[in-house]
Amino acid sequence: MENGNIAAASPEEVRRSPAFGWAARDSSGVLSPFTFSRTKNGENDVTIKILYCGICHSDLHSVKNEWQNSVYPIVPGHEIVGVVTEVGGKVDRFKVGDHAGVGCMVNSCRSCHECAGHLENHCPGMIFTYNSTDVDGTVTYGGYSDSVVVEEHFAVRFPAGMPLDRGAPLLCAGITVYSPMKRFGFDVPGKHIGVVGLGGLGHVAVKFGKAFGAKVTVISTSPSKRQEAVERLGADAFLVSKDPDEMKAAWGTMDGIINTVSAAHEVTPLLSLLKTFGQMVMVCAPEKPLEIYAFPLLLGGKSIVGSAIGGMKETQEMIDLAAEHNLTADIELISMDYVNKAMERVAKADVRYRFVIDIGNTLSAA
């Protein structure tokens, strides 16, 4: 009470539900235990007890402030899966006990042209799951924590029988490759798709490509990944991008390319692999600018385009299709207290192919 008036609640006072997780406090990126609070469950909200959370390369970029937009402390994590523990009175898609997930965003304006077209991921007012400012003025915290509260529109239903730990990475890695495959027509049987990089995104792109009935060629700088790509993941072919003979033999054979490499790399030579009017879709975010020469774009009318996750309708569609095809990520399940070592390994691309934190069994112990 101030001068007879009721003072407005501060942003932190709005958050009344205690929560616990691991956070980075500075650009060292080192994560440690962190107590905070979340918004109480509202009438349109679901509360999810987090059981698993994947580690995305974006998490590493964020905790180390490599994109120069980090607000500390940061609780990362946007590949969140768990069990619904509370639902608001107006919620009709979820009930207590359901399996649900949260991906890269937790809100949008819901009124713009993009939102009306189920493209919330392109809404100017889109709010990220972590390191973003929510509508109540507070900073959002991600899935390296025990719970999350989200409006039901931004929660994803997990079909019965889908493994939660191996399904978690689909909420970022899965939708990141699925969305451009659908948008640019790479999902048509018989299409020839190139997948650059065989990491967390790349291995899922191979699996979706095969589920669509496409021919999939993995393009990598590492010849040692050939057997893994072809024999275990089911790629139709493997191309070493440093081998000029292999590259020349593949000139003009691909309808599209999904480029998943986050490290700085040459993209111009990859354009020669595309057919006339082919597209290379960048779904990664290297720290350094890309160097692109114009002539490989002009000759053949080729293009380089970008794509970032997908809208909520498309994300649910992706999860449902993945469940239908028994499609999940290949993971290494880790405990919460291994997360800093895992981040070091992510930086070295030393994981096949996605770390997933066993939040439900190890967070409290950590």
PDB file of all heavy atoms in Angstrom, residues 276-299:
ATOM      1  N   THR A 276      18.589 -27.576 -60.928  1.00  0.00           N
ATOM      2  CA  THR A 276      18.088 -26.249 -61.277  1.00  0.00           C
ATOM      3  C   THR A 276      16.913 -25.872 -60.361  1.00  0.00           C
ATOM      4  O   THR A 276      16.011 -26.684 -60.124  1.00  0.00           O
ATOM      5  CB  THR A 276      17.626 -26.222 -62.737  1.00  0.00           C
ATOM      6  OG1 THR A 276      18.752 -26.524 -63.575  1.00  0.00           O
ATOM      7  CG2 THR A 276      17.087 -24.850 -63.122  1.00  0.00           C
ATOM      8  N   PHE A 277      16.979 -24.665 -59.826  1.00  0.00           N
ATOM      9  CA  PHE A 277      15.983 -24.110 -58.906  1.00  0.00           C
ATOM     10  C   PHE A 277      15.974 -24.810 -57.541  1.00  0.00           C
ATOM     11  O   PHE A 277      15.025 -24.668 -56.767  1.00  0.00           O
ATOM     12  CB  PHE A 277      14.571 -24.122 -59.508  1.00  0.00           C
ATOM     13  CG  PHE A 277      14.439 -23.378 -60.797  1.00  0.00           C
ATOM     14  CD1 PHE A 277      13.754 -23.931 -61.871  1.00  0.00           C
ATOM     15  CD2 PHE A 277      15.007 -22.122 -60.957  1.00  0.00           C
ATOM     16  CE1 PHE A 277      13.632 -23.247 -63.082  1.00  0.00           C
ATOM     17  CE2 PHE A 277      14.895 -21.437 -62.152  1.00  0.00           C
ATOM     18  CZ  PHE A 277      14.211 -21.996 -63.214  1.00  0.00           C
ATOM     19  N   GLY A 278      17.018 -25.568 -57.252  1.00  0.00           N
ATOM     20  CA  GLY A 278      17.096 -26.231 -55.950  1.00  0.00           C
ATOM     21  C   GLY A 278      17.380 -25.247 -54.826  1.00  0.00           C
ATOM     22  O   GLY A 278      17.891 -24.142 -55.050  1.00  0.00           O
ATOM     23  N   GLN A 279      17.043 -25.662 -53.603  1.00  0.00           N
ATOM     24  CA  GLN A 279      17.236 -24.807 -52.432  1.00  0.00           C
ATOM     25  C   GLN A 279      18.115 -25.493 -51.398  1.00  0.00           C
ATOM     26  O   GLN A 279      17.956 -26.689 -51.148  1.00  0.00           O
ATOM     27  CB  GLN A 279      15.890 -24.459 -51.774  1.00  0.00           C
ATOM     28  CG  GLN A 279      14.964 -23.648 -52.652  1.00  0.00           C
ATOM     29  CD  GLN A 279      13.654 -24.350 -52.907  1.00  0.00           C
ATOM     30  OE1 GLN A 279      13.539 -25.563 -52.721  1.00  0.00           O
ATOM     31  NE2 GLN A 279      12.652 -23.610 -53.345  1.00  0.00           N
ATOM     32  N   MET A 280      19.010 -24.713 -50.826  1.00  0.00           N
ATOM     33  CA  MET A 280      19.721 -25.172 -49.639  1.00  0.00           C
ATOM     34  C   MET A 280      19.152 -24.416 -48.446  1.00  0.00           C
ATOM     35  O   MET A 280      19.144 -23.187 -48.411  1.00  0.00           O
ATOM     36  CB  MET A 280      21.226 -24.921 -49.729  1.00  0.00           C
ATOM     37  CG  MET A 280      21.954 -25.374 -48.460  1.00  0.00           C
ATOM     38  SD  MET A 280      23.750 -25.519 -48.663  1.00  0.00           S
ATOM     39  CE  MET A 280      24.184 -23.815 -48.972  1.00  0.00           C
ATOM     40  N   VAL A 281      18.629 -25.171 -47.487  1.00  0.00           N
ATOM     41  CA  VAL A 281      17.976 -24.571 -46.327  1.00  0.00           C
ATOM     42  C   VAL A 281      18.945 -24.575 -45.151  1.00  0.00           C
ATOM     43  O   VAL A 281      19.424 -25.630 -44.725  1.00  0.00           O
ATOM     44  CB  VAL A 281      16.697 -25.349 -45.939  1.00  0.00           C
ATOM     45  CG1 VAL A 281      15.968 -24.619 -44.819  1.00  0.00           C
ATOM     46  CG2 VAL A 281      15.790 -25.518 -47.148  1.00  0.00           C
ATOM     47  N   MET A 282      19.211 -23.379 -44.628  1.00  0.00           N
ATOM     48  CA  MET A 282      20.061 -23.241 -43.446  1.00  0.00           C
ATOM     49  C   MET A 282      19.182 -23.355 -42.201  1.00  0.00           C
ATOM     50  O   MET A 282      18.290 -22.526 -41.984  1.00  0.00           O
ATOM     51  CB  MET A 282      20.782 -21.893 -43.464  1.00  0.00           C
ATOM     52  CG  MET A 282      21.586 -21.610 -44.720  1.00  0.00           C
ATOM     53  SD  MET A 282      22.947 -22.765 -44.982  1.00  0.00           S
ATOM     54  CE  MET A 282      23.998 -22.369 -43.591  1.00  0.00           C
ATOM     55  N   VAL A 283      19.408 -24.374 -41.409  1.00  0.00           N
ATOM     56  CA  VAL A 283      18.666 -24.527 -40.159  1.00  0.00           C
ATOM     57  C   VAL A 283      19.599 -24.377 -38.964  1.00  0.00           C
ATOM     58  O   VAL A 283      19.243 -24.680 -37.835  1.00  0.00           O
ATOM     59  CB  VAL A 283      17.931 -25.887 -40.097  1.00  0.00           C
ATOM     60  CG1 VAL A 283      16.886 -25.979 -41.189  1.00  0.00           C
ATOM     61  CG2 VAL A 283      18.914 -27.051 -40.196  1.00  0.00           C
ATOM     62  N   CYS A 284      20.810 -23.899 -39.250  1.00  0.00           N
ATOM     63  CA  CYS A 284      21.832 -23.744 -38.223  1.00  0.00           C
ATOM     64  C   CYS A 284      22.164 -22.257 -38.076  1.00  0.00           C
ATOM     65  O   CYS A 284      21.718 -21.446 -38.882  1.00  0.00           O
ATOM     66  CB  CYS A 284      23.081 -24.516 -38.636  1.00  0.00           C
ATOM     67  SG  CYS A 284      23.547 -24.201 -40.362  1.00  0.00           S
ATOM     68  N   ALA A 285      22.949 -21.918 -37.073  1.00  0.00           N
ATOM     69  CA  ALA A 285      23.269 -20.512 -36.830  1.00  0.00           C
ATOM     70  C   ALA A 285      24.745 -20.362 -36.476  1.00  0.00           C
ATOM     71  O   ALA A 285      25.087 -20.136 -35.320  1.00  0.00           O
ATOM     72  CB  ALA A 285      22.390 -19.947 -35.713  1.00  0.00           C
ATOM     73  N   PRO A 286      25.628 -20.480 -37.471  1.00  0.00           N
ATOM     74  CA  PRO A 286      27.056 -20.269 -37.201  1.00  0.00           C
ATOM     75  C   PRO A 286      27.314 -18.870 -36.642  1.00  0.00           C
ATOM     76  O   PRO A 286      26.603 -17.914 -36.985  1.00  0.00           O
ATOM     77  CB  PRO A 286      27.709 -20.437 -38.575  1.00  0.00           C
ATOM     78  CG  PRO A 286      26.738 -21.241 -39.365  1.00  0.00           C
ATOM     79  CD  PRO A 286      25.382 -20.835 -38.869  1.00  0.00           C
ATOM     80  N   GLU A 287      28.317 -18.765 -35.779  1.00  0.00           N
ATOM     81  CA  GLU A 287      28.635 -17.475 -35.169  1.00  0.00           C
ATOM     82  C   GLU A 287      29.118 -16.468 -36.211  1.00  0.00           C
ATOM     83  O   GLU A 287      28.825 -15.278 -36.131  1.00  0.00           O
ATOM     84  CB  GLU A 287      29.733 -17.636 -34.119  1.00  0.00           C
ATOM     85  CG  GLU A 287      29.363 -18.511 -32.936  1.00  0.00           C
ATOM     86  CD  GLU A 287      30.565 -18.735 -32.051  1.00  0.00           C
ATOM     87  OE1 GLU A 287      31.197 -17.737 -31.651  1.00  0.00           O
ATOM     88  OE2 GLU A 287      30.891 -19.907 -31.765  1.00  0.00           O
ATOM     89  N   LYS A 288      29.890 -16.930 -37.200  1.00  0.00           N
ATOM     90  CA  LYS A 288      30.489 -16.034 -38.180  1.00  0.00           C
ATOM     91  C   LYS A 288      29.615 -15.951 -39.430  1.00  0.00           C
ATOM     92  O   LYS A 288      28.919 -16.896 -39.785  1.00  0.00           O
ATOM     93  CB  LYS A 288      31.892 -16.519 -38.542  1.00  0.00           C
ATOM     94  CG  LYS A 288      32.854 -16.519 -37.359  1.00  0.00           C
ATOM     95  CD  LYS A 288      34.233 -17.012 -37.769  1.00  0.00           C
ATOM     96  CE  LYS A 288      35.180 -17.012 -36.580  1.00  0.00           C
ATOM     97  NZ  LYS A 288      36.539 -17.515 -36.952  1.00  0.00           N
ATOM     98  N   PRO A 289      29.667 -14.813 -40.137  1.00  0.00           N
ATOM     99  CA  PRO A 289      28.868 -14.657 -41.364  1.00  0.00           C
ATOM    100  C   PRO A 289      29.277 -15.669 -42.430  1.00  0.00           C
ATOM    101  O   PRO A 289      30.433 -16.078 -42.511  1.00  0.00           O
ATOM    102  CB  PRO A 289      29.200 -13.226 -41.819  1.00  0.00           C
ATOM    103  CG  PRO A 289      29.718 -12.530 -40.600  1.00  0.00           C
ATOM    104  CD  PRO A 289      30.401 -13.578 -39.785  1.00  0.00           C
ATOM    105  N   LEU A 290      28.310 -16.049 -43.244  1.00  0.00           N
ATOM    106  CA  LEU A 290      28.581 -16.950 -44.350  1.00  0.00           C
ATOM    107  C   LEU A 290      29.202 -16.165 -45.509  1.00  0.00           C
ATOM    108  O   LEU A 290      28.816 -15.022 -45.775  1.00  0.00           O
ATOM    109  CB  LEU A 290      27.290 -17.609 -44.836  1.00  0.00           C
ATOM    110  CG  LEU A 290      26.519 -18.459 -43.828  1.00  0.00           C
ATOM    111  CD1 LEU A 290      25.219 -18.950 -44.470  1.00  0.00           C
ATOM    112  CD2 LEU A 290      27.338 -19.629 -43.348  1.00  0.00           C
ATOM    113  N   GLU A 291      30.154 -16.795 -46.192  1.00  0.00           N
ATOM    114  CA  GLU A 291      30.733 -16.197 -47.396  1.00  0.00           C
ATOM    115  C   GLU A 291      30.126 -16.890 -48.599  1.00  0.00           C
ATOM    116  O   GLU A 291      30.307 -18.091 -48.791  1.00  0.00           O
ATOM    117  CB  GLU A 291      32.253 -16.363 -47.393  1.00  0.00           C
ATOM    118  CG  GLU A 291      32.941 -15.625 -48.530  1.00  0.00           C
ATOM    119  CD  GLU A 291      34.452 -15.753 -48.483  1.00  0.00           C
ATOM    120  OE1 GLU A 291      34.946 -16.865 -48.751  1.00  0.00           O
ATOM    121  OE2 GLU A 291      35.129 -14.758 -48.160  1.00  0.00           O
ATOM    122  N   ILE A 292      29.395 -16.122 -49.409  1.00  0.00           N
ATOM    123  CA  ILE A 292      28.651 -16.706 -50.521  1.00  0.00           C
ATOM    124  C   ILE A 292      29.006 -15.970 -51.812  1.00  0.00           C
ATOM    125  O   ILE A 292      28.982 -14.733 -51.859  1.00  0.00           O
ATOM    126  CB  ILE A 292      27.128 -16.610 -50.289  1.00  0.00           C
ATOM    127  CG1 ILE A 292      26.749 -17.281 -48.972  1.00  0.00           C
ATOM    128  CG2 ILE A 292      26.364 -17.240 -51.443  1.00  0.00           C
ATOM    129  CD1 ILE A 292      25.348 -16.968 -48.509  1.00  0.00           C
ATOM    130  N   TYR A 293      29.342 -16.715 -52.841  1.00  0.00           N
ATOM    131  CA  TYR A 293      29.601 -16.140 -54.146  1.00  0.00           C
ATOM    132  C   TYR A 293      28.321 -16.180 -54.980  1.00  0.00           C
ATOM    133  O   TYR A 293      27.539 -17.130 -54.899  1.00  0.00           O
ATOM    134  CB  TYR A 293      30.728 -16.898 -54.848  1.00  0.00           C
ATOM    135  CG  TYR A 293      32.050 -16.741 -54.131  1.00  0.00           C
ATOM    136  CD1 TYR A 293      32.472 -17.696 -53.205  1.00  0.00           C
ATOM    137  CD2 TYR A 293      32.864 -15.635 -54.361  1.00  0.00           C
ATOM    138  CE1 TYR A 293      33.667 -17.550 -52.536  1.00  0.00           C
ATOM    139  CE2 TYR A 293      34.069 -15.483 -53.686  1.00  0.00           C
ATOM    140  CZ  TYR A 293      34.472 -16.439 -52.772  1.00  0.00           C
ATOM    141  OH  TYR A 293      35.653 -16.286 -52.098  1.00  0.00           O
ATOM    142  N   ALA A 294      28.126 -15.154 -55.809  1.00  0.00           N
ATOM    143  CA  ALA A 294      26.859 -14.999 -56.504  1.00  0.00           C
ATOM    144  C   ALA A 294      26.669 -15.973 -57.658  1.00  0.00           C
ATOM    145  O   ALA A 294      25.555 -16.474 -57.871  1.00  0.00           O
ATOM    146  CB  ALA A 294      26.726 -13.566 -57.022  1.00  0.00           C
ATOM    147  N   PHE A 295      27.722 -16.269 -58.419  1.00  0.00           N
ATOM    148  CA  PHE A 295      27.534 -17.051 -59.641  1.00  0.00           C
ATOM    149  C   PHE A 295      26.917 -18.426 -59.404  1.00  0.00           C
ATOM    150  O   PHE A 295      26.046 -18.855 -60.175  1.00  0.00           O
ATOM    151  CB  PHE A 295      28.858 -17.177 -60.408  1.00  0.00           C
ATOM    152  CG  PHE A 295      29.081 -16.035 -61.360  1.00  0.00           C
ATOM    153  CD1 PHE A 295      30.048 -15.078 -61.102  1.00  0.00           C
ATOM    154  CD2 PHE A 295      28.297 -15.901 -62.500  1.00  0.00           C
ATOM    155  CE1 PHE A 295      30.248 -14.013 -61.970  1.00  0.00           C
ATOM    156  CE2 PHE A 295      28.488 -14.835 -63.384  1.00  0.00           C
ATOM    157  CZ  PHE A 295      29.466 -13.887 -63.114  1.00  0.00           C
ATOM    158  N   PRO A 296      27.299 -19.165 -58.344  1.00  0.00           N
ATOM    159  CA  PRO A 296      26.638 -20.463 -58.131  1.00  0.00           C
ATOM    160  C   PRO A 296      25.142 -20.340 -57.848  1.00  0.00           C
ATOM    161  O   PRO A 296      24.396 -21.292 -58.040  1.00  0.00           O
ATOM    162  CB  PRO A 296      27.375 -21.030 -56.911  1.00  0.00           C
ATOM    163  CG  PRO A 296      28.715 -20.377 -56.941  1.00  0.00           C
ATOM    164  CD  PRO A 296      28.447 -18.983 -57.432  1.00  0.00           C
ATOM    165  N   LEU A 297      24.701 -19.162 -57.410  1.00  0.00           N
ATOM    166  CA  LEU A 297      23.272 -18.922 -57.216  1.00  0.00           C
ATOM    167  C   LEU A 297      22.601 -18.577 -58.546  1.00  0.00           C
ATOM    168  O   LEU A 297      21.492 -19.045 -58.844  1.00  0.00           O
ATOM    169  CB  LEU A 297      23.043 -17.780 -56.226  1.00  0.00           C
ATOM    170  CG  LEU A 297      23.478 -18.014 -54.780  1.00  0.00           C
ATOM    171  CD1 LEU A 297      23.328 -16.721 -53.981  1.00  0.00           C
ATOM    172  CD2 LEU A 297      22.659 -19.118 -54.127  1.00  0.00           C
ATOM    173  N   LEU A 298      23.293 -17.758 -59.332  1.00  0.00           N
ATOM    174  CA  LEU A 298      22.715 -17.314 -60.602  1.00  0.00           C
ATOM    175  C   LEU A 298      22.585 -18.453 -61.596  1.00  0.00           C
ATOM    176  O   LEU A 298      21.582 -18.550 -62.320  1.00  0.00           O
ATOM    177  CB  LEU A 298      23.598 -16.218 -61.209  1.00  0.00           C
ATOM    178  CG  LEU A 298      23.838 -14.966 -60.353  1.00  0.00           C
ATOM    179  CD1 LEU A 298      24.774 -14.012 -61.076  1.00  0.00           C
ATOM    180  CD2 LEU A 298      22.528 -14.277 -60.027  1.00  0.00           C
ATOM    181  N   LEU A 299      23.614 -19.303 -61.649  1.00  0.00           N
ATOM    182  CA  LEU A 299      23.614 -20.400 -62.620  1.00  0.00           C
ATOM    183  C   LEU A 299      22.747 -21.539 -62.092  1.00  0.00           C
ATOM    184  O   LEU A 299      23.128 -22.275 -61.192  1.00  0.00           O
ATOM    185  CB  LEU A 299      25.045 -20.883 -62.858  1.00  0.00           C
ATOM    186  CG  LEU A 299      26.010 -19.806 -63.378  1.00  0.00           C
ATOM    187  CD1 LEU A 299      27.413 -20.372 -63.500  1.00  0.00           C
ATOM    188  CD2 LEU A 299      25.534 -19.270 -64.735  1.00  0.00           C
TER     189      LEU A 299
END
